[in-house]
Amino acid sequence: MRGLTSSLWPIRYKPHPDELLSSWLVRLARGHGLRVQTFCNLIFGNQLQVWNRDIDRLGPSWIVDVLSERTGTPIKVARGTTLRSYDGWLYPYFRSSGPLQWITTLQMFHRTRQGFGMQYCPLCLYEDEDPFFRKAWRVAFITTCHKHQCMLRDRCRECGAGVAFHRGDMGHFDGQHRDSIADCYACGAGLASESVDAIEAYDPKVLDWLSDLSLSVMNGNSKLQRAGSMDVMRHMSVLLTSRFLNLKLHNYVCNMLSAPEMSLARGRVSIETRTLVERHHLMQLIAWLMMDLQPRLRNAWLAKAVRYNHMLKDFERAPSGYLKIVDDFSNLTCPPLAVPS
Ligand SMILES: [Zn+2]
Ligand SMILES: [Zn+2]
């Protein structure tokens, strides 16, 4: 396609607010009337494989820079479409493989994306004039839509497939043409919908806390990470799901919140890899602890739901506020020596 060799492409969509790089790229391909794979081959050549990696997480400059230049989008805005914009905020440092703190895992097996890491709000997609996928939908602790106060979804309602909108017209043996980016790649059912799922809430205050947290992400408020809250929250998820601890803390917090003791996927499964249902459940338990961490953790410890050494085990970079809380417990076990009269 001749227009693609000129410095500016014929179609120069800019990213929508909070749009993911992959969503922007797929919209551009569709805008040019090309299959996603064809478009990528024309732009990046056959050697650079775009879709066998998590481009939103990696934010490769060979993609971002080209999209920025050819669409006339400021580079800062283009970089803002990648999950790297959460560097040093949702996670302390970037890593290209393995779980990345609070970023959902797509579980890439070649191009198939068998996981359920790409979430969406059916009503956001329904209301979009030009549907697109949001960056905040890849944040593992966001399980509800702040705008519509409904549950997000992590799979197609009709066939149960995970979301892989880039495969809607891959031109690949398992890719089918789909009219919209918001159609399930596997069965073609629309992901956009007016009907939504009500939020299951164990405690309205917990939900408010989580809602404020997701709003702070949407607004780009990085204050939370400076306080180390993201790391502490993540450590709570480890304590709550550890089989090694016999899930005692999980059972204890469920009991305190009168929440059902959901049976969680076994094994060393990070919260970023868990399904939406499990994350939504776990996030409410984590939020309940975080809302009043010192007394709630202390009471859990006194009830023998968590052991002292586990509160610090494998928790590198534990923030000073958290260390102080845990230190105070050790003082409780060692009452001060009686001063001889
Ligand atoms: Zn929504
Ligand atoms: Zn489907």
Side-chain angles (χ1 to χ4, degrees):
M1 189 173 179
R2 217 170 44 223
L4 290 175
T5 54
S6 59
S7 59
L8 282 176
W9 288 333
I11 303 294
R12 297 190 282 276
Y13 300 149
K14 307 294 182 286
H16 290 296
D18 203 45
E19 181 168 18
L20 276 170
L21 175 65
S22 56
S23 168
W24 184 28
L25 180 55
V26 169
R27 280 195 311 110
L28 281 164
R30 286 175 167 270
H32 284 93
L34 292 171
R35 285 174 178 271
V36 177
Q37 191 66 60
T38 312
F39 182 75
C40 289
N41 287 347
L42 283 168
I43 305 304
F44 307 115
N46 297 336
Q47 298 304 312
L48 287 167
Q49 287 298 317
V50 174
W51 299 108
N52 60 357
R53 63 190 92 205
D54 182 349
I55 58 166
D56 296 317
R57 168 174 170 170
L58 297 168
S61 54
W62 54 268
I63 298 181
V64 177
D65 292 358
V66 170
L67 262 60
S68 159
E69 281 163 26
R70 303 301 191 89
T71 62
T73 302
I75 186 68
K76 202 171 163 220
V77 175
R79 287 194 184 127
T81 64
T82 78
L83 298 165
R84 297 295 304 264
S85 54
Y86 296 136
D87 270 9
W89 170 16
L90 296 193
Y91 49 85
Y93 58 87
F94 179 73
R95 48 197 273 186
S96 56
S97 60
L100 183 60
Q101 179 168 296
W102 295 123
I103 301 297
T104 59
T105 311
L106 294 180
Q107 287 177 313
M108 310 293 293
F109 298 112
H110 303 291
R111 274 179 242 156
T112 55
R113 287 197 185 173
Q114 297 185 356
F116 299 100
M118 186 66 245
Q119 314 181 87
Y120 65 96
C121 166
L123 192 47
C124 279
L125 290 176
Y126 184 84
E127 288 179 354
D128 284 342
E129 213 169 289
D130 176 25
F132 68 99
F133 287 79
R134 277 77 165 164
K135 218 165 55 174
W137 293 345
R138 288 286 311 273
V139 176
F141 57 73
I142 297 184
T143 54
T144 61
C145 174
H146 189 270
K147 183 177 173 194
H148 296 114
Q149 290 299 308
C150 63
M151 290 303 297
L152 296 182
R153 290 179 185 167
D154 66 351
R155 61 198 68 199
C156 167
R157 255 307 146 82
E158 294 299 318
C159 74
V163 178
F165 50 82
H166 65 289
R167 291 177 69 195
D169 65 352
M170 281 296 271
H172 190 249
F173 68 95
D174 58 358
Q176 306 268 351
H177 176 74
R178 302 295 174 211
D179 286 340
S180 163
I181 191 175
D183 289 344
C184 168
Y185 83 91
C187 75
L191 302 176
S193 168
E194 243 183 326
S195 78
V196 294
D197 310 316
I199 299 173
E200 192 188 344
Y202 303 148
D203 177 340
K205 284 201 204 97
V206 164
L207 217 61
D208 287 347
W209 192 90
L210 286 169
S211 194
D212 286 349
L213 184 66
S214 53
L215 188 63
S216 74
V217 172
M218 302 292 285
N219 292 341
N221 180 352
S222 55
K223 217 167 54 195
L224 287 156
Q225 176 57 22
R226 283 203 290 278
S229 309
M230 293 293 160
D231 301 342
V232 177
M233 267 170 49
R234 180 57 160 66
H235 192 63
M236 291 302 114
S237 83
V238 174
L239 293 178
L240 283 164
T241 55
S242 168
R243 293 273 152 190
F244 189 60
L245 301 181
N246 270 333
L247 294 174
K248 278 188 185 163
L249 184 61
H250 178 253
N251 299 352
Y252 172 84
V253 180
C254 283
N255 202 23
M256 297 306 288
L257 265 172
S258 305
E261 287 183 16
M262 180 182 288
S263 72
L264 303 166
R266 288 174 169 274
R268 262 180 89 91
V269 185
S270 71
I271 191 158
E272 294 83 9
T273 311
R274 291 181 181 272
T275 61
L276 176 74
V277 171
E278 289 197 12
R279 279 185 288 106
H280 182 65
H281 167 76
L282 286 169
M283 280 318 304
Q284 294 187 73
L285 311 190
I286 293 168
W288 181 81
L289 284 167
M290 294 295 293
M291 284 165 69
D292 209 357
L293 190 62
Q294 202 275 348
R296 287 180 180 170
L297 206 53
R298 185 192 58 215
N299 289 339
W301 171 69
L302 288 171
K304 297 190 168 29
V306 61
R307 297 221 323 249
Y308 177 78
N309 57 329
H310 288 127
M311 285 188 279
L312 295 172
K313 190 173 179 291
D314 298 329
F315 191 6
E316 300 156 23
R317 309 174 315 270
S320 55
Y322 179 78
L323 289 175
K324 184 167 180 339
I325 287 174
V326 176
D327 259 6
D328 288 348
F329 298 164
S330 70
N331 294 337
L332 286 176
T333 58
C334 313
L337 292 171
V339 180
S341 53

